[in-house]
Amino acid sequence: MKISGVCGRLMCCLAYESEQYHSMKEKMPKKGQRVSTPLGEATVIGTNPLKETVMVELGSGASAEVALKDVSH
């Protein structure tokens, strides 16, 4: 399997993307952390740094995807 970017060079864009991904991930709350959302208090069950969203589990047991900008941690 070939691992190359649009430019055809092996993994050069992966190095760039890694830095960006790491930077975005630093903004995200940690899994298991309690946060405040527009839907109420919740526990982080996952994150999506590329979409800048946080998956949370509410007190009712329901899960929801919330924009990072709407989460207080």
Side-chain angles (χ1 to χ4, degrees), residues 1 5 11-14 23 30 32-33 37 40 42 46-47 54 56 65 67:
M1 178 180 231
M11 299 187 13
C12 73
C13 60
L14 296 178
S23 176
K30 305 289 183 228
Q33 184 175 345
T37 76
T47 59
V54 180
V56 296
E65 185 174 30

Side-chain angles (χ1 to χ4, degrees), residues 19-37 43-56 64-73:
E19 183 179 324
Q20 296 294 18
Y21 185 76
H22 181 70
S23 176
M24 287 185 282
K25 197 170 178 183
E26 286 179 345
K27 300 177 194 176
M28 309 299 274
K30 305 289 183 228
K31 190 172 181 180
Q33 184 175 345
R34 295 285 298 165
V35 295
S36 179
T37 76
T43 302
V44 176
I45 57 174
T47 59
N48 187 329
L50 298 177
K51 286 176 55 180
E52 293 191 5
T53 60
V54 180
M55 286 297 298
V56 296
E65 185 174 30
V66 182
L68 177 60
K69 66 180 182 64
D70 296 331
V71 174
S72 299
H73 59 284

